Amino acid sequence: MIEFRIDRRSGVSTYVQIAQQVKQAMRMGLLGPGDQLPTAREVVETTAVNPNTVLKAYRELEREGLVEGRRGQGTFVTRSLATDATSREAPLRRALSSWMDQAGGAGLGVEEVDTLYLDVREEHYPTGGSPS
């Protein structure tokens, strides 16, 4: 089951954070076709967000064709976004995990890690597009 983490200081709308976290879990293979998302009530209990916010996120995911709501049953994942390259066992993920260990060992905090990652990402994927 997915556990949502809401960062109220991020400047990103709560419903967007929820939708992004569902997509991330789908890309990593943690959620796949047929899996049920937590109910709005469950999300509200664990995150203290408004139920309408959760429903808005789920509607956005439904609009994108990633989930479907079934009246009286819940919301279910309809397709996979996972690939071999994004699975938890993928070599690139293991290499990135090793890099994170090195960064932590060098005393870098999350803000420095994010800064480095975003800077290097921009070098390779200018303006969020394809690799250069």
Side-chain angles (χ1 to χ4, degrees):
M1 174 87 56
I2 186 171
E3 291 183 31
F4 295 105
R5 292 187 179 88
I6 305 302
D7 182 353
R8 300 187 194 299
R9 296 172 289 152
S10 72
V12 177
S13 299
T14 303
Y15 88 94
V16 171
Q17 290 183 53
I18 292 170
Q20 287 174 338
Q21 289 175 40
V22 169
K23 289 180 200 175
Q24 181 177 356
M26 291 173 69
R27 283 186 197 100
M28 294 175 60
L30 300 175
L31 287 174
D35 288 340
Q36 184 174 5
L37 297 181
T39 65
R41 178 175 293 172
E42 291 169 333
V43 177
V44 168
E45 289 173 1
T46 60
T47 62
V49 300
N50 185 302
N52 290 326
T53 301
V54 179
L55 296 174
K56 183 175 182 179
Y58 286 8
R59 279 192 307 272
E60 178 66 21
L61 292 164
E62 193 166 6
R63 187 187 64 72
E64 293 178 30
L66 301 174
V67 302
E68 71 174 357
R70 298 180 193 156
R71 192 164 205 76
Q73 295 180 6
T75 304
F76 295 83
V77 175
T78 57
R79 65 187 186 116
S80 176
L81 295 179
T83 67
D84 289 342
T86 59
S87 75
R88 289 184 98 35
E89 300 304 318
L92 284 175
R93 180 184 169 83
R94 287 195 304 255
L96 182 57
S97 181
S98 176
W99 182 86
M100 289 286 185
D101 290 341
Q102 292 174 21
L108 296 181
V110 69
E111 290 180 359
E112 290 90 359
V113 167
D114 287 348
T115 298
L116 278 172
Y117 166 76
L118 291 171
D119 186 52
V120 172
R121 185 185 77 180
E122 187 61 30
E123 288 175 15
H124 293 271
Y125 293 86
T127 63
S130 300
S132 56

